[in-house]
Amino acid sequence: MRSLWNGKPLELLFIHGFLVPHQLQGEHTVLRPLKTVGAAAIALVIAGAGAVQAAPARTAPAPVPTLAWAACQGGFECANAAVPLDYNDPDGATITLAVIRKKATDQAERKGTLFLQPGGPGNSGVDFVRNNYADLPADLRDSFDVFGYDVRGVGRSSPLQCWDDPTYTAAVTAAKGVPGPDAYEPAVRQAAAFDQACQDNAGALLPYVGTEYVARDIDLLRQALGEEQLTYYGRSFGSYIGTVYASLFPERVRALVLDGAYDPERYANRPYAYDRTQYLALDGAMSRFLDWCAADQSTCGFGDGDPRAAFEKLKADLDANPVVTASGGRANGYTLVYRLMFNINEGKVIWPALGEAMHKAQLRDNTSFLLRPPSPASFDFLGPNVVVECVDKDYPDSAARLKREVTTNARLAPLLGPAMAFGPPTYDHQHATACVQWPGEQVSRYGGPFKAEGSAPILVLGTTGDPDTPYRDAVALSRELDNGRLLTFEAEGHTAFGRSACATDAVTSYLVDLKVPKRGTSCADETQPPSSTPTVAPSGTTLSELRNGVSDRVERIGTLR
C-alpha cells in the first residue's frame, strides 16, 4: 500500500493486521500488492462473495442473467441482474445490478433496445433513463425499448463508499479557492487518507469496478434482453464505456453514439496527458465566459469592468470570509470553483445566469447557486468517480513526477485549476494525488487496443468548446476507431445531443435507420446567450442547478424533439 510523505514515497506494509510505514527514497517504483479488505467491506451486498481469492484465468462464458420485470411507476419496468463479481471467475460470486426500461411506444415498428449510458463515472443510469425519457425524440421512443442501469458500485448496484458524508463535508469545507504555496503536501496526505477509507469501507469491491467489467456487464445485459447486437448512446464517461465495449465486442455493435468522447489511449495509459488537456479545456471555457462578461457588462452584471480581476478577488474574499448558507454550512472560494466547474458545462445559454450568480456571491447573497457546497448527493457521485478512474488509469509510480504534474496543472490553469489540483479527491482531472497512491488491484482495467476492428460505423460527437471532454479527444477517438465517424458541434458546453437540433437529428437518424452523417459534418446551432437571466430552460437546453434545484447530480440531455 502506498502513500506519500513530505513529497517522498511512503510504503505502508500490511503485516499481521497492522500498517507498518517504510520510507522509500527518490523516484522509487512500488509494485502493487494484493488488496487489503477492511471489516466494513464484509457488509457489501454481494451475493455469495465470501472471501474473495485471487481469480483463476477466465475459462468459460459468464451465465446470462434472468430479468424478472416489475412495474416501477410512470410506465417503467425495473428488475435486478446478477452478473459475476469477477469475470476471471464467472461462476463464482455475483453482484446485483439495478436495471430499468420503458418499452417502445410503437411495438409493431420496434427495432430493439436502446441502451442509455450517463456520464460520470458515478451517475445513475436508472435515474438517467427516468429523467430523460420524456425528452427523447419521438422516433427513438417509438423505435426502441429505452434501457438503463446502475453500473457496479453506483446507485442501486452495491454502491461503494470511501469517506462518509461528515468526512467529505469537512474536506470540501476546509478546501480553498486560492490554495497557499504549501498546499501540495497536505493534498497528498488527504488523498492517502481517502484511499485508505476506500480500502476500509469498500475493499472487497474495489478491484472489480473498472470499465472492462462494466463493458462485460453490458454484453450480458444485451443477451438477457434478447438483442443480437447493441444499440447505444453514451455521453461523457459513457462514451468511454461504449469505446471499451466496441473494442471487446466489435462484431456485436449495431449502432454506438459516443457523445463528448474520450481519447481512450490517453485516458487509460497516459493519464497525466489526459488530465492536462482537461485542466486547459476547463480554464479555457471559464476564460471565454469572462471575456464575454467584459464585452457585455450590462448582460453579465459581474466584474465592474474587469471580470478577471473581480473573479480572483472574489475567490480570495470568500476564502477569507466564507458565506454562511441557509443550512448553516459555509461557502468559500472552493465552493465557487466547484460549482463553476460543473455549471460551465451548460454552454452560452447559462452565461447570463452565471454572471448574476457571481454578482450575488460578491454581495454575499447565499441564494447564489454558486455558493451551495457539495452535498451528500454530490458525494455519492464523487466517491465512485475517483475510485473507477484509479482502477482504470495507469499512473506512473513516481512521487517527483506527481508533484511536478500537479503543480504544473495549477500553474497552467490559473482560474479554476489550483483549487482542484490541491483540493480533496473529487472530480476527474484532479485524481492524480489519489490514484498514484492507489493501493488496490486493477483486475477490471482495460488498457487497449481501442480500434474496434471490424465494427459497424460508430458515431463520435465532439463539441469544440467542451470544458469537460476536450474536442481533441473526439477527434482522436474518431481516428483511433477502425470505423469511426466524427460529427462536430461548434459550441461552448459539454456534449451535443439535445443541445443542437442538427446533432440531435443526426444521432436519431443514425440510431433508428443506421444513416451515418457525411464525413466533415459540422453543426453550428448553439443557443446564444439570452439578453437576461432565464428563469426556465429554453427549448433544447438545460440550466443545470437553475433547472434542477437542489439536485446536485441530475444529468439532462436536453428537450429537443
Side-chain angles (χ1 to χ4, degrees), residues 102-388:
K102 195 162 189 179
K103 289 186 175 180
T105 55
D106 188 348
Q107 286 290 305
E109 298 297 324
R110 176 185 177 276
K111 293 181 179 291
T113 300
L114 170 61
F115 281 62
L116 294 185
Q117 194 78 42
N123 280 316
S124 164
V126 171
D127 292 343
F128 190 56
V129 168
R130 278 195 177 278
N131 293 331
N132 290 288
Y133 176 83
D135 292 328
L136 292 175
D139 283 352
L140 295 182
R141 289 179 283 123
D142 288 345
S143 301
F144 297 102
D145 297 345
V146 178
F147 175 89
Y149 79 109
D150 288 355
V151 303
R152 48 179 61 213
V154 170
R156 303 159 185 84
S157 298
S158 295
L160 60 83
Q161 183 183 68
C162 295
W163 277 339
D164 59 21
D165 291 345
T167 304
Y168 234 139
T169 297
V172 297
T173 300
K176 300 296 184 183
V178 186
D182 300 323
Y184 173 74
E185 288 176 1
V188 171
R189 292 195 295 269
Q190 188 174 52
F194 176 90
D195 288 353
Q196 185 58 53
C198 293
Q199 289 295 303
D200 292 342
N201 296 321
L205 180 57
L206 299 181
Y208 310 112
V209 299
T211 300
E212 178 176 331
Y213 279 19
V214 172
R216 293 188 182 280
D217 290 343
I218 289 176
D219 201 56
L220 285 185
L221 294 171
R222 173 194 62 79
Q223 295 172 69
L225 292 164
E227 299 294 334
E228 292 187 7
Q229 292 183 303
L230 181 70
T231 302
Y232 177 99
Y233 169 84
R235 58 179 272 139
S236 196
F237 188 75
S239 75
Y240 180 67
I241 295 173
T243 299
V244 174
Y245 181 89
S247 301
L248 290 170
F249 310 109
E251 75 284 359
R252 299 174 195 173
V253 170
R254 175 188 174 271
L256 260 67
V257 177
L258 309 178
D259 188 4
Y262 279 40
D263 178 341
E265 179 63 32
R266 284 160 65 105
Y267 169 80
N269 300 322
R270 298 174 56 205
Y272 279 129
Y274 186 85
D275 293 347
R276 178 68 48 77
T277 55
Q278 196 170 5
Y279 271 95
L280 295 174
L282 180 61
D283 243 48
M286 186 66 193
S287 181
R288 292 188 293 275
F289 161 69
L290 292 174
D291 287 345
W292 170 80
C293 271
D296 192 352
Q297 281 278 277
S298 61
T299 303
C300 175
F302 170 77
D304 300 322
D306 190 349
R308 288 175 184 270
F311 178 59
E312 294 300 330
K313 183 175 186 301
L314 178 59
K315 287 187 294 183
D317 289 348
L318 289 172
D319 281 346
N321 191 11
V323 172
V324 178
T325 67
S327 61
R330 290 190 304 155
N332 64 5
Y334 179 85
T335 311
L336 180 73
V337 169
Y338 177 89
R339 289 296 171 197
L340 284 166
M341 175 175 62
F342 289 114
N343 281 277
I344 201 76
N345 281 349
E346 299 301 322
K348 290 181 180 179
V349 70
I350 201 175
W351 283 1
L354 290 180
E356 180 179 286
M358 290 175 70
H359 180 61
K360 284 184 175 181
Q362 280 182 310
L363 300 176
R364 306 182 58 77
D365 181 346
N366 67 9
T367 66
S368 169
F369 66 88
L370 296 177
L371 295 183
R372 196 171 72 246
S375 72
S378 295
F379 305 149
D380 291 343
F381 161 77
L382 295 172
N385 188 270
V386 180
V387 170
V388 171

Side-chain angles (χ1 to χ4, degrees), residues 135-137 233 235 259 461 489 494-505 507-508 527 538-542 547 556-561:
D135 292 328
L136 292 175
Y233 169 84
R235 58 179 272 139
D259 188 4
L461 275 64
F489 181 33
H494 185 39
T495 69
F497 181 70
R499 298 181 57 236
S500 158
C502 166
T504 300
D505 288 345
V507 167
T508 302
T527 302
S539 177
T541 67
T542 66
R547 174 174 179 149
R556 298 283 188 177
I557 56 177
T559 56
L560 289 171
R561 286 180 168 81

Side-chain angles (χ1 to χ4, degrees), residues 9-60:
L10 180 70
E11 188 176 28
L12 301 177
L13 302 177
F14 202 81
I15 302 175
H16 301 303
F18 295 91
L19 288 173
V20 180
H22 175 65
Q23 185 71 59
L24 303 174
Q25 301 298 321
E27 293 197 32
H28 186 86
T29 298
V30 181
L31 295 177
R32 299 184 187 276
L34 290 176
K35 64 183 177 298
T36 59
V37 181
I42 304 303
L44 280 171
V45 186
I46 301 175
V52 180
Q53 304 296 324
R58 191 177 298 131
T59 57

